[in-house]
């Protein structure tokens, strides 16, 4: 008996030492990022629900100089999608809808998209056009748009689908906006009321809520303001400083693809609940965290509001990122090893980083990789517009010694060098690579994009 107690105490001591070492390494790394203006926000890293490391870095409000703290709430941006998906799962469990239902059953105004199902919306396989592009061209920006406003614009213009449902995977904010509308029409309550009733209250997520600061202003205590950086003004600024013409403001009434707000503590509660049976059964869990097959036996690598990847080093991972209105957010769940990474930032600057790769290495006790250095003149050569064989124009942007792929007016992905000519998208799973081809004079003439898991492989010539 005495021997077992001693062995148990030794095991606890070894675990404590391992946690302490990882926490110290994480703290050194995060301080390094903060000191070079690459991270302003909150971080939580947990293992089997036990917090290994959590800390706040920087300011919640530049004007008042209020500092962030561990309870500060942030706009989650696209990390909201997992809550929208869970709302749909709860309705399906109650028999209020079926994943195979056509969206026209609930949104008859869009009956011309007659083959798109709720499952297509959940898994980004519906082929619906992007509502942000449409609203930028068509919307009266003196008004703040809602979901119903977007649907009316779609009904009026009847934009053609991008592809036949289930033929391709293409990330769709439109799909998740429509899922929120389906929730509201089925349950006869607002999206925010419903999520509060079926998710936030049952899980005691007391600091999680749907909030549209321009559409329905409220006073929120301990709340982080989102910031961009202006080269012209040489300072940080908030979206409202740009007025109603700025898309973050005139699209503020739209829910489903974003607008959930939360903090570290509540998101850890959410993480733990996804392992339990309070909200879902094993059958639900399998559907939420499964990849879905498209035409040609290709996989979506996306479940219900979660990107999915399998790693030989880390096992199965469910993750999602978000970027909107100066907020840059991220949650990652290691399903086989029960590890959790949560990052909430309120600065979307050219220097901002999403340091998930190194955090993983530290969490698993792996050696940190040395960063490949590339001369700025080479990176600047990569900047510019490119034309694909299908006639689409793509762009590579250079900012402050880094290159990025813009995916929306708000969001861009940093390209991390793995050689002098090859880059990968930072934190994106499955891995997407960009390889640039240079001519004899050192000028970039084209790049090649590859993502074997999605069957993605194309070239784009510089123009």
């Amino acid at each position: 008996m005495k021997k077992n107690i001693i062995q148990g105490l030794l095991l606890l001591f070894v675990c404590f030492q391992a946690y302490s070492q990882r926490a110290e390494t994480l703290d050194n790394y995060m301080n390094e990022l903060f000191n070079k203006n690459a991270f302003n926000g909150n971080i939580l890293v947990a293992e089997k629900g036990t917090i290994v490391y959590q800390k706040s870095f920087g300011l919640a409000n530049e004007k008042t100089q209020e500092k962030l703290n561990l309870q500060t709430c942030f706009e989650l941006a696209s990390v909201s999608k997992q809550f929208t998906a869970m709302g749909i799962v709860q309705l399906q469990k109650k028999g209020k809808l079926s994943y195979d239902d056509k969206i026209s059953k609930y949104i008859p105004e869009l009956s011309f998209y007659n083959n798109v199902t709720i499952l297509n919306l959940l898994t980004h396989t519906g082929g619906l056009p992007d509502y942000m592009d449409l609203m930028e061209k068509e919307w009266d920006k003196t008004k703040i748009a809602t979901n119903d406003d977007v649907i009316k614009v779609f009904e009026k213009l009847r934009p053609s689908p991008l592809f036949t449902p289930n033929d391709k995977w293409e990330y769709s904010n439109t799909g998740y906006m429509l899922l929120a509308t389906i929730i509201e029409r089925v349950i006869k309550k607002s999206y925010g009321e419903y999520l509060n009733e079926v998710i936030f209250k049952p899980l005691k997520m007391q600091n999680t809520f749907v909030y549209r600061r321009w559409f329905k202003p409220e006073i929120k205590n301990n709340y982080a303001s989102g910031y961009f950086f202006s080269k012209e003004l040489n300072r940080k600024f908030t979206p409202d400083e740009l007025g109603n013409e700025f898309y973050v403001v005139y699209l503020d009434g739209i829910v489903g693809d974003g607008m959930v707000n939360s903090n570290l503590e509540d998101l850890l509660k959410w993480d733990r609940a996804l392992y339990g049976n309070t909200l879902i059964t094993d059958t639900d869990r399998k559907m939420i965290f499964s990849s879905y097959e498209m035409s040609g036996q290709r996989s979506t690598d996306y479940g219900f509001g979660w990107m999915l990847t399998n790693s030989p080093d880390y096992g199965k991972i469910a993750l999602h990122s978000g970027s909107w209105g100066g907020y840059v957010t991220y949650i990652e769940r290691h399903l086989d090893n029960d590890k959790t990474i949560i990052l909430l930032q309120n600065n979307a600057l050219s220097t901002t980083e999403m340091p998930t790769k190194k955090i993983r290495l530290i969490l698993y006790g792996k050696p940190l990789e040395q960063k490949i250095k590339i001369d700025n003149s080479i990176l600047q050569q990569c900047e510019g517009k490119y034309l694909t064989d299908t006639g689409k124009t793509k762009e590579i942007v250079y900012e402050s010694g880094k290159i990025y792929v813009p995916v929306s007016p708000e969001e861009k992905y940093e390209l991390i060098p793995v050689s002098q000519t090859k880059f990968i998208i930072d934190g994106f799973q499955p891995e997407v690579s960009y390889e640039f081809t240079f001519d004899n004079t050192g000028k970039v003439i084209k790049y090649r994009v590859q993502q074997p898991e999605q069957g993605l492989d194309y070239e784009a010539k510089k123009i």
Side-chain angles (χ1 to χ4, degrees):
M1 179 71 174
K2 187 176 180 181
K3 185 179 178 182
N4 289 339
I5 292 171
I6 292 170
Q7 285 176 335
L9 289 171
L10 281 171
L11 182 61
L12 282 172
F13 176 73
V14 169
C15 289
F16 176 76
Q17 266 200 322
Y19 276 16
S20 297
Q21 287 171 353
R22 279 179 285 176
E24 184 180 354
T25 307
L26 282 166
D27 195 49
N28 290 338
Y29 175 51
M30 295 307 297
N31 274 297
E32 178 188 320
L33 291 177
F34 175 66
N35 289 333
K36 67 177 186 178
N37 211 25
F39 189 90
N40 190 100
N42 287 355
I43 172 175
L44 183 148
V45 179
E47 188 168 334
K48 293 181 170 59
T50 299
I51 296 171
V52 175
Y53 178 75
Q54 64 174 338
K55 194 169 179 178
S56 300
F57 294 87
L59 298 177
N61 189 300
E62 296 283 334
K63 187 176 181 180
T64 65
Q65 293 292 290
E66 179 187 354
K67 291 184 178 180
L68 293 167
N69 60 68
L70 295 176
Q71 295 298 317
T72 303
C73 292
F74 295 72
E75 154 73 48
L76 297 184
S78 286
V79 171
S80 304
K81 288 181 172 68
Q82 56 204 251
F83 296 103
T84 303
M86 181 60 78
I88 291 290
V89 170
Q90 296 304 308
L91 290 178
Q92 187 274 337
K93 284 164 67 66
K94 292 173 184 175
K96 301 285 187 181
L97 54 74
S98 166
Y99 299 134
D100 294 325
D101 284 343
K102 303 286 177 61
I103 65 169
S104 55
K105 180 177 178 180
Y106 308 97
I107 312 175
E109 305 98 303
L110 304 185
S111 58
F112 47 92
Y113 297 129
N114 59 339
N115 291 320
V116 178
T117 66
I118 288 175
L119 183 61
N120 288 138
L121 300 187
L122 287 166
T123 59
H124 298 292
T125 56
L128 299 180
D130 181 63
Y131 79 80
M132 288 192 233
D133 289 343
L134 204 63
M135 297 300 277
E136 198 278 327
K137 295 170 186 172
E138 300 292 334
W139 184 244
D140 173 3
K141 297 176 183 62
T142 62
K143 302 174 184 176
I144 295 178
T146 64
N147 290 37
D148 284 344
D149 291 323
V150 175
I151 290 168
K152 286 174 185 174
V153 171
F154 268 73
E155 183 183 16
K156 177 185 174 183
L157 299 178
R158 301 171 70 97
S160 299
L162 304 176
F163 51 85
T164 302
N166 221 42
D167 265 9
K168 289 173 65 178
W169 183 92
E170 187 165 317
Y171 191 79
S172 174
N173 285 308
T174 303
Y176 272 76
M177 178 273 297
L178 293 177
L179 287 172
T181 296
I182 291 171
I183 287 172
E184 292 186 334
R185 293 188 179 186
V186 169
I187 211 69
K188 309 300 182 192
K189 294 179 181 178
S190 74
Y191 171 77
E193 288 172 330
Y194 176 69
L195 291 192
N196 191 49
E197 179 184 302
V198 300
I199 303 173
F200 306 151
K201 275 191 175 179
L203 300 184
K204 296 181 171 57
M205 296 171 68
Q206 296 173 352
N207 295 296
T208 304
F209 46 87
V210 174
Y211 177 41
R212 295 172 284 179
R213 74 210 67 202
W214 292 286
F215 181 73
K216 191 178 179 182
E218 298 175 39
I219 295 173
K220 297 291 182 184
N221 295 320
N222 201 7
Y223 190 81
S225 297
Y227 292 92
F228 300 102
F229 185 82
S230 168
K231 290 180 181 178
E232 291 77 17
L233 299 173
N234 194 31
R235 66 172 175 85
K236 296 176 186 178
F237 67 94
T238 55
D240 53 301
E241 293 184 56
L242 297 181
N244 290 350
E245 291 289 318
F246 192 44
Y247 61 92
V248 172
V249 177
Y250 68 75
L251 297 178
D252 189 61
I254 295 163
V255 296
D257 56 337
M259 297 303 169
V260 175
N261 295 252
S262 192
N263 66 5
L264 294 177
E265 181 182 2
D266 277 8
L267 289 173
L268 185 60
K269 289 178 182 179
W270 167 244
D271 165 68
R272 303 325 297 163
L274 292 172
Y275 288 106
N277 299 316
T278 303
L279 291 181
I280 52 175
T281 64
D282 287 341
T283 301
D284 301 324
R285 199 168 3 258
K286 185 176 180 182
M287 293 203 73
I288 292 167
F289 296 110
S290 287
S291 183
Y292 288 82
E293 192 175 287
M294 298 176 289
S295 305
Q297 297 184 326
R298 289 170 296 120
S299 173
T300 59
D301 294 314
Y302 196 98
F304 291 4
W306 292 91
M307 294 179 180
L308 303 167
T309 182
N310 281 286
S311 162
D313 294 318
Y314 310 122
K316 187 174 182 178
I317 296 175
L319 59 92
H320 216 290
S321 61
S323 180
W324 185 255
Y327 299 94
V328 183
T329 58
Y330 187 85
I331 182 169
E332 178 172 303
R333 306 180 63 243
H334 293 219
L335 302 181
D336 293 335
N337 299 308
D338 195 356
K339 299 179 193 289
T340 312
I341 300 168
I342 302 169
L343 299 161
L344 305 175
Q345 299 193 63
N346 65 321
N347 279 198
L349 318 177
S350 61
T351 54
T352 298
E353 294 183 22
M354 187 55 75
T356 52
K357 192 172 183 181
K358 281 194 177 179
I359 291 172
R360 283 187 210 126
L361 292 171
I362 294 168
L363 192 53
Y364 283 82
K366 295 178 179 293
L368 297 182
E369 299 171 349
Q370 294 299 312
K371 192 171 183 179
I372 293 173
K373 293 184 179 179
I374 296 184
D375 192 273
N376 280 346
S377 62
I378 295 175
L379 295 175
Q380 288 166 343
Q381 273 295 321
C382 298
E383 183 178 38
K385 294 189 183 296
Y386 294 76
L387 190 66
T388 68
D389 290 340
T390 58
K392 286 187 177 180
T393 302
K394 304 285 187 177
E395 189 175 8
I396 301 292
V397 175
Y398 171 87
E399 288 181 15
S400 305
K402 298 175 184 178
I403 56 173
Y404 300 87
V405 180
V407 291
S408 72
E410 174 79 15
E411 193 168 7
K412 59 184 184 291
Y413 293 138
E414 184 183 350
L415 290 176
I416 304 296
V418 293
S419 75
Q420 290 296 310
T421 59
K422 190 174 182 179
F423 298 73
I424 59 171
I425 292 181
D426 186 26
F428 201 90
Q429 298 291 336
E431 193 172 276
V432 180
S433 67
Y434 278 68
E435 186 152 20
F436 292 86
T437 300
F438 294 76
D439 65 15
N440 294 333
T441 66
K443 292 183 178 180
V444 172
I445 56 174
K446 64 180 179 179
Y447 66 65
R448 181 182 183 186
V449 182
Q450 289 183 295
Q451 188 187 40
E453 295 85 352
Q454 291 282 358
L456 184 68
D457 189 346
Y458 71 85
E459 288 187 347
K461 295 178 181 178
K462 195 169 186 183
I463 53 178

